Amino acid sequence: MVIAVDGPGGVGKSTVASRVAITVGLPHLDTGSTYRAAGLAALRNGGALNDSAGVLAALDAVDIRIVDGIVSVDGIDVTDELRTDEVTRASSVVATHPDVRSRIVALQRSWVEERGGSAVVEGRDIGTVVFPDAPVKIYLTARPEIRAARRSGDAEAVDKSTEQIAAELAARDHADSSREASPLKPAVDAVIIDTSDLTIDEVVERVLNLVEATTNRKSRTHRR
């Protein structure tokens, strides 16, 4: 079973997806890290981020692996480096190229397939593009000021004001929702959860209830 968790930044995707994965005993993939790794590869290759062919060439030249949340490029742990502002900006640019997205989506699908076809996968287009047939699709959202306040506690937000963080989130939202390839939007059959006034425990419980209901429904269907 694939549990797809989508939504913009600052809504609690990573925390919720990680907690759900631990509870149900499935591997967890943060797909944002794959685009960050692509951005890092492009930066190291010295090519223009706006050149999709150059980004693809950079991807061809490296080996990206994700194991237990640790991202390595050519065998070197780059997990912390992926969270720098430079790589964050680069990942946003390379993610706009349709052919780059196709390559990364293939990587994401292979990652799940290698783990038996079941995982909790979080991102921005999981339920709409990467795993459109996922039986459980969640789209998390929250009010802008709540998202900015939450992001202010992240290591990558050190020395940034809440206003600056809010502006960066708004810019990322616009870029993600307006891009031609795989725009950020809820899948038509996704369950939308506003996390603004909910605790992490409450959000996780709602997702787990949906997972249980889906599992029970599939079980009843198989018994018929």
Side-chain angles (χ1 to χ4, degrees):
M1 171 188 288
V2 170
I3 301 170
V5 182
D6 286 310
V11 296
K13 289 195 306 294
S14 294
T15 303
V16 171
S18 177
R19 290 268 297 273
V20 169
I22 291 172
T23 302
V24 300
L26 291 178
H28 166 222
L29 175 62
D30 171 7
T31 61
S33 63
T34 60
Y35 288 101
R36 289 175 180 269
L40 177 62
L43 288 171
R44 289 184 173 182
N45 197 51
L49 298 176
N50 288 313
D51 174 21
S52 61
V55 176
L56 288 174
L59 285 172
D60 286 337
V62 298
D63 177 39
I64 299 172
R65 295 184 182 275
I66 305 172
V67 179
D68 295 331
I70 303 300
V71 184
S72 65
V73 174
D74 292 336
I76 299 174
D77 183 351
V78 297
T79 308
D80 291 337
E81 188 176 357
L82 296 185
R83 293 294 168 179
T84 63
D85 283 344
E86 183 182 26
V87 173
T88 297
R89 288 191 294 268
S91 67
S92 294
V93 177
V94 302
T96 63
H97 304 307
D99 46 0
V100 173
R101 293 194 71 88
S102 294
R103 178 74 63 83
I104 296 299
V105 166
L107 184 156
Q108 294 163 359
R109 289 173 175 162
S110 294
W111 189 95
V112 173
E113 184 178 349
E114 290 167 0
R115 287 155 180 79
S118 293
V120 179
V121 187
E122 62 161 297
R124 285 170 166 77
D125 63 346
I126 311 307
T128 54
V129 174
V130 186
F131 292 105
D133 296 326
V136 179
K137 298 178 185 177
I138 311 296
Y139 187 91
L140 303 181
T141 185
R143 296 190 298 273
E145 68 274 16
I146 297 294
R147 295 168 56 202
R150 289 172 177 169
R151 271 295 169 87
S152 66
D154 292 350
E156 57 191 295
V158 173
D159 298 327
K160 292 182 181 180
S161 67
T162 303
E163 291 74 17
Q164 182 180 354
I165 296 170
E168 291 177 352
L169 286 172
R172 179 65 187 273
D173 288 350
H174 176 72
D176 286 344
S177 60
S178 61
R179 67 183 176 226
E180 183 177 347
S182 308
L184 169 66
K185 63 180 180 180
V188 293
D189 53 347
V191 175
I192 299 176
I193 301 176
D194 188 327
T195 68
S196 300
D197 302 312
L198 299 174
T199 66
I200 289 297
D201 286 344
E202 290 171 331
V203 178
V204 170
E205 182 179 7
R206 291 192 183 192
V207 175
L208 290 175
N209 287 340
L210 289 168
V211 172
E212 182 178 10
T214 300
T215 302
N216 291 340
R217 184 167 60 249
K218 290 177 66 176
S219 177
R220 288 195 298 270
T221 299
H222 290 158
R223 288 200 299 266
R224 291 174 183 172

